């Protein structure tokens, strides 16, 4: 795994943990802040260009975000 893929996976895991925490706590209206434009942009895209591990984590994030009013 090259450095950019590793960085994307780490960012995806951090995003997933925050989103999962909000869902598990029963929060509905949530504002997420982040300094990783790549993660935010990727969550809004098709993700076809990502490695399988980053893509699977971010697809899980997208699914969980649908449970929130963000």
């Amino acid at each position: 795994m090259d450095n950019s893929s590793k960085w994307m996976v780490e960012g995806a895991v951090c995003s997933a943990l925050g989103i999962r925490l909000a869902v598990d706590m029963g929060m509905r209206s949530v504002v997420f802040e982040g300094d990783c434009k790549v993660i935010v942009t990727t969550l809004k895209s098709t993700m076809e260009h990502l490695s399988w591990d980053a893509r699977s984590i971010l697809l899980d994030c997208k699914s969980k975000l649908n449970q929130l009013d963000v």
Side-chain angles (χ1 to χ4, degrees), residues 46-60:
T46 61
M47 298 187 219
E48 294 172 1
H49 62 284
L50 297 177
S51 63
W52 67 269
D53 46 356
R55 183 173 42 247
S56 65
I57 294 166
L58 289 173
L59 285 172
D60 183 53

Side-chain angles (χ1 to χ4, degrees), residues 14 27-28 32 38-40 42 45 48 52 57 64:
C14 291
M27 297 179 178
R28 295 291 308 152
F32 292 100
V38 174
I39 296 290
V40 174
T42 301
S45 73
E48 294 172 1
W52 67 269
I57 294 166
K64 296 222 180 300

Side-chain angles (χ1 to χ4, degrees), residues 16-29:
L17 291 173
I19 294 165
R20 184 165 295 157
L21 177 64
V23 170
D24 290 348
M25 292 181 70
M27 297 179 178
R28 295 291 308 152
S29 183

Side-chain angles (χ1 to χ4, degrees), residues 7-8 11 15 33-41:
W7 175 83
M8 180 63 84
S15 298
E33 293 184 14
D35 62 352
C36 184
K37 183 179 179 181
V38 174
I39 296 290
V40 174
T41 302

